[in-house]
């Protein structure tokens, strides 16, 4: 283990602290939360109120109420098992049981409607009970609709017309929007004081959350619309799937050495091409000479597409990537999707071993995938003329496995994808700015955040350090002191240790890293110690005709 001297940066800023943005919400989160919370609650409380004030029918109502709770619970369990048909049937039975409760209540109350106002509080409680039962019925309908939508989305891989399936799911969710509004209208007038004391806070919290559930449904609809457009609803779309190797860190995730070109139409892949020379097959067709950012002169003073992700703001790097791409003569792209080995490992853990792959007959699993791919795709020209050939065989297999997922696997893949987006292991950029704006709203664009308060972003760029970043241990210590005038004095101590073995392939070399610190605008650098510059003799010189 090699320990490097600590790097210390002392900054002064007058910016105040600001909370971090909320993480990306998953498409289905609101469904689970609302179904778990409200239906058992309103059925139970509605049944309690009616049993307390309509004694002659309490046994009948309790029986139907128990049936509603039992079937709703069964529907939830079936939904968790991705048994959508069983869930739908259970929710239908829940709705029928709740309807029975309402019918019994109406039959018993009707003869007494004229005298109910003579009993103080009784009429109000009866109306509250009726409203709660109606709310439960409405939410059960929402649960059925949501189950239908999820079922449709789960059938996407096997559907003849995948875009139509997504449109149907969108339509089902659209039909539930007025139901959320009806639920809000029904629950708003109910005084929480009429409920048992131990349930009032939960009731109030749920009632306040209804606008959030309504908004989450709209977000799900918006996502489906984006998916349809991105998957070629109105014509063919072409994307670059770019592998960012986080063992060789670059500002947006890692060095871009490999990629695949994919064309989709109406939700189906119509063409897939993996350049066997990787990104260098593209770079070799770019004849314009551009001077690289000076730190990159350590490897190449002439900027090219493989180093386009120099900017920590992914949309900016993506636009630079597209600029280089458009100089290459290859067909234009509609977007870029990048992923790291971390996501690849997580996918294989879910999908299981993949193989045998290609003429090498290699089977990849979560333990050997990254090392094997790195070994075979990094072969030197004297060892192979097709260093990315493994990926040319692997990518189609992975796509086939992912698009053939079953119900239970679908929810796990959704979780893996959501986690990858939140940790920036999976990033998207689309040339259609309408879609791009929505991607940014869902925090899937890898944009460098803009804050009005205190802020620190540390960005590493491995330059000529091979694949060493997975054996580098980094510890950051930040001490901030708020001054009397509201300014902040911050001292950042960065400690990095190299855990590689000297001479080991990929990791047994020196790690050259260009480090950037992003802080609030207007901050003043007081001092910086412990850093060192690479010898000038290691740097290349740009071509004289480069611009």
């Amino acid at each position: 283990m090699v320990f490097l001297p600590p790097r210390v940066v002392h900054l002064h800023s007058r910016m105040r602290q600001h909370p971090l943005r909320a993480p990306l919400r998953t498409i289905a989160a609101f469904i689970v939360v609302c179904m778990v919370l409200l239906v058992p609650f309103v059925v139970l409380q509605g049944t309690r109120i009616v049993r307390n004030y309509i004694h002659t029918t309490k046994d009948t109502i309790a029986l139907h109420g128990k049936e509603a709770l039992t079937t709703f619970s069964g529907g939830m369990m079936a939904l968790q098992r991705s048994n959508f048909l069983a869930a739908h049937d259970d929710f239908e039975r829940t709705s029928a049981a709740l309807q029975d409760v309402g019918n019994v209540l109406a039959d018993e109350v009707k003869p007494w409607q004229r005298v109910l106002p003579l009993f103080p509080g009784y009429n109000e409680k009866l109306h509250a009970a009726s409203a709660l039962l109606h709310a439960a019925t409405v939410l059960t309908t929402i649960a059925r609709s949501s189950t239908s939508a999820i079922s449709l989305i789960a059938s996407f891989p096997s559907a003849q017309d995948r875009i139509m399936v997504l449109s149907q799911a969108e339509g089902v969710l659209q039909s539930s929007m007025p139901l959320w509004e009806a639920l809000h209208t029904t629950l708003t007038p109910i005084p929480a004081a009429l409920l048992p004391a131990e349930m009032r806070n939960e009731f109030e919290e749920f009632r306040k959350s209804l606008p959030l559930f309504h908004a989450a449904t709209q977000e799900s609809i918006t996502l489906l619309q984006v998916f349809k457009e991105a998957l070629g609803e109105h014509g063919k779309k072409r994307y670059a799937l770019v592998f960012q190797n986080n063992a060789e860190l670059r500002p947006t995730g890692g060095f871009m050495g490999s990629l695949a070109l994919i064309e989709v139409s109406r939700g189906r892949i119509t063409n897939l091409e993996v350049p066997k020379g990787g990104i260098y097959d593209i770079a070799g067709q770019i004849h314009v000479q551009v001077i690289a950012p000076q730190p990159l002169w350590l490897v190449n003073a002439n900027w090219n597409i493989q180093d386009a992700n120099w900017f920590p703001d992914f949309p900016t790097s993506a636009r630079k990537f597209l600029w280089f791409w458009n100089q290459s003569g290859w067909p234009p792209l509609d977007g870029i999707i990048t992923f790291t080995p971390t996501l690849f490992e997580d996918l294989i853990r879910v999908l299981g071993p993949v193989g045998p792959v290609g003429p090498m007959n290699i089977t990849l699993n979560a333990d050997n995938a990254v090392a094997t791919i790195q070994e075979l795709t990094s072969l030197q020209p004297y060892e192979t003329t097709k260093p990315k050939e493994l990926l040319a065989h692997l990518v189609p297999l992975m796509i086939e496995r992912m698009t053939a997922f079953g119900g239970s696997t679908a929810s796990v893949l959704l979780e893996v994808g959501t986690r990858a987006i939140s940790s920036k292991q999976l990033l998207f950029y689309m040339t259609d700015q309408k879609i791009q704006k929505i991607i940014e709203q869902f925090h899937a664009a890898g944009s460098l955040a803009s804050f009005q308060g205190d802020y620190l972003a540390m960005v590493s760029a491995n330059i000529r350090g091979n694949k060493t970043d997975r054996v580098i241990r980094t510890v950051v210590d930040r001490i901030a002191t708020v001054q009397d005038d509201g300014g902040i004095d911050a001292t950042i101590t960065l400690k990095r240790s190299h855990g590689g073995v000297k001479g080991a392939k990929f990791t047994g070399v020196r790690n050259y890293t260009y480090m950037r610190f992003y802080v609030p605008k207007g901050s003043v650098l007081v001092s910086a110690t412990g850093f060192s510059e690479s010898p000038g003799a290691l740097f290349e010189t740009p071509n004289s005709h480069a611009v």
Side-chain angles (χ1 to χ4, degrees):
M1 181 78 72
V2 178
F3 292 95
L4 304 177
R7 278 73 169 161
V8 181
V9 178
H10 185 198
L11 300 164
H12 177 75
S13 171
R14 293 185 178 273
M15 302 296 181
R16 298 186 180 277
Q17 294 182 332
H18 189 278
L20 294 175
R21 291 182 177 178
L24 177 70
R25 284 173 289 181
T26 62
I27 300 175
F30 76 98
I31 300 172
V32 177
V33 173
C34 70
M35 288 194 293
V36 169
L37 176 61
L38 184 61
V39 170
F41 167 66
V42 295
V43 173
L44 183 60
Q45 295 311 310
T47 303
R48 282 184 183 177
I49 293 172
V50 174
R51 282 191 308 207
N52 288 337
Y53 295 98
I54 309 180
H55 303 291
T56 59
T57 59
K58 65 178 183 180
D59 292 338
T60 304
I61 290 176
L63 180 64
H64 291 310
K66 182 179 180 180
E67 171 71 7
L69 286 171
T70 301
T71 54
F72 188 86
S73 176
M76 287 297 298
M77 293 178 64
L79 195 58
Q80 291 173 354
R81 297 192 304 269
S82 298
N83 190 339
F84 305 116
L85 182 60
H88 189 273
D89 289 344
D90 278 332
F91 291 141
E92 287 285 358
R93 292 166 60 196
T94 301
S95 181
L98 291 171
Q99 185 63 46
D100 288 339
V101 172
N103 291 338
V104 171
L105 184 61
D107 291 342
E108 291 298 328
V109 170
K110 189 174 181 179
W112 306 97
Q113 286 179 337
R114 293 186 178 181
V115 298
L116 284 177
L118 301 177
F119 298 88
Y122 184 82
N123 196 40
E124 185 180 25
K125 292 173 182 176
L126 185 60
H127 281 303
S130 299
L132 285 170
L133 288 171
H134 176 65
T137 302
V138 171
L139 192 55
T140 302
T141 303
I142 293 175
R144 288 205 311 270
S145 297
S146 301
T147 301
S148 297
I150 295 173
S151 178
L152 284 165
I153 294 171
S155 70
F156 174 85
S158 59
Q160 285 294 108
D161 190 335
R162 293 175 172 177
I163 296 299
M164 185 180 70
V165 165
L166 294 182
S167 295
Q168 289 172 342
E170 178 192 346
V172 170
L173 291 179
Q174 287 280 16
S175 68
S176 71
M177 292 294 283
L179 296 178
W180 283 111
E181 296 168 5
L183 193 62
H184 185 268
T185 301
T186 300
L187 294 179
T188 297
I190 299 176
L194 292 180
L195 302 177
E198 69 272 14
M199 301 299 292
R200 292 171 189 168
N201 288 339
E202 292 182 39
F203 177 76
E204 288 286 15
E205 286 299 318
F206 181 81
R207 188 159 55 181
K208 291 177 182 177
S209 299
L210 287 176
L212 297 179
F213 295 145
H214 185 276
T217 308
Q218 182 57 61
E219 287 184 354
S220 299
I221 293 169
T222 300
L223 275 178
L224 287 173
Q225 293 170 344
V226 168
F227 289 154
K228 290 193 301 178
E229 182 62 32
L231 292 172
E233 179 182 20
H234 299 112
K236 181 174 65 177
K237 297 288 186 180
R238 182 182 296 108
Y239 302 105
L241 305 181
V242 182
F243 184 82
Q244 293 200 90
N245 190 349
N246 54 14
E248 188 176 353
L249 284 176
R250 286 295 173 90
T252 64
F255 181 72
M256 301 185 297
S258 305
L259 80 165
L261 307 178
I262 187 171
E263 293 180 359
V264 295
S265 179
R266 299 291 299 177
R268 293 191 174 277
I269 298 172
T270 57
N271 186 49
L272 176 64
E273 180 180 357
V274 181
K276 293 183 178 179
I279 202 168
Y280 297 103
D281 284 0
I282 314 300
Q285 301 299 315
I286 300 173
H287 302 296
V288 61
Q289 297 290 313
V290 181
I291 299 175
Q294 193 166 4
L296 285 172
W297 293 11
L298 196 59
V299 288
N300 194 342
N302 298 303
W303 207 357
N304 211 319
I305 192 168
Q306 70 272 13
D307 295 317
N309 61 341
W310 181 248
F311 311 100
D313 180 73
F314 181 68
T316 302
S317 285
R319 287 190 288 270
K320 178 58 70 173
F321 180 98
L322 290 174
W323 184 88
F324 279 116
W325 181 276
N326 292 335
Q327 313 304 312
S328 70
W330 284 67
L333 298 172
D334 294 293
I336 306 169
I337 304 169
T338 72
F339 60 97
T340 68
T342 302
L343 173 59
F344 193 79
E345 290 170 326
D346 290 343
L347 287 174
I348 289 186
R349 286 191 183 94
V350 174
L351 300 171
V354 179
V357 180
M360 299 79 78
N361 288 322
I362 295 173
T363 297
L364 301 176
N365 56 48
D367 297 323
N368 71 5
V370 172
T372 302
I373 292 172
Q374 187 164 270
E375 176 76 25
L376 294 178
T377 59
S378 300
L379 295 175
Q380 297 300 314
Y382 62 84
E383 297 174 290
T384 180
T385 58
K386 302 174 181 179
K388 312 302 179 181
E389 185 176 19
L390 174 66
L391 294 178
H393 296 283
L394 176 61
V395 171
L397 284 176
M398 288 293 294
I399 292 176
E400 180 182 353
R401 292 284 293 275
M402 285 190 290
T403 55
F405 58 78
S408 59
T409 305
S411 60
V412 180
L413 286 174
L414 176 62
E415 181 182 348
V416 168
T418 301
R419 186 169 61 246
I421 289 173
S422 64
S423 60
K424 312 304 181 189
Q425 309 296 331
L426 177 63
L427 299 172
F428 300 85
Y429 180 82
M430 299 292 160
T431 57
D432 184 327
Q433 289 306 297
K434 181 180 178 180
I435 297 178
Q436 178 63 20
K437 184 177 179 180
I438 295 172
I439 289 173
E440 291 174 357
Q441 289 173 355
F442 281 86
H443 308 289
S447 301
L448 191 63
S450 177
F451 287 97
Q452 296 301 315
D454 193 17
Y455 178 84
L456 172 65
M458 297 172 56
V459 180
S460 299
N462 179 330
I463 305 174
R464 201 177 175 180
N466 214 316
K467 311 297 188 291
T468 52
D469 282 298
R470 284 201 167 195
V471 295
I472 299 295
R473 183 171 181 266
T474 301
V475 178
V476 179
D477 183 37
R478 181 177 183 270
I479 299 175
T481 304
V482 180
Q483 305 299 314
D484 293 339
D485 63 355
I488 297 175
D489 278 343
T491 300
I492 303 155
T493 303
L494 170 67
K495 298 179 180 178
R496 306 178 77 238
S497 55
H498 196 314
V501 177
K502 188 174 182 179
K505 190 174 184 179
F506 301 126
T507 60
V509 299
R510 179 172 295 183
N511 175 273
Y512 289 94
T513 293
Y514 181 72
M515 182 72 69
R516 280 173 276 184
F517 296 82
Y518 287 82
V519 295
K521 185 177 181 179
S523 298
V524 177
L525 177 63
V526 178
S527 63
T529 60
F531 295 90
S532 60
E533 294 185 12
S534 300
L538 296 178
F539 287 82
E540 297 187 8
T541 303
N543 292 333
S544 58
H545 54 278
V547 294

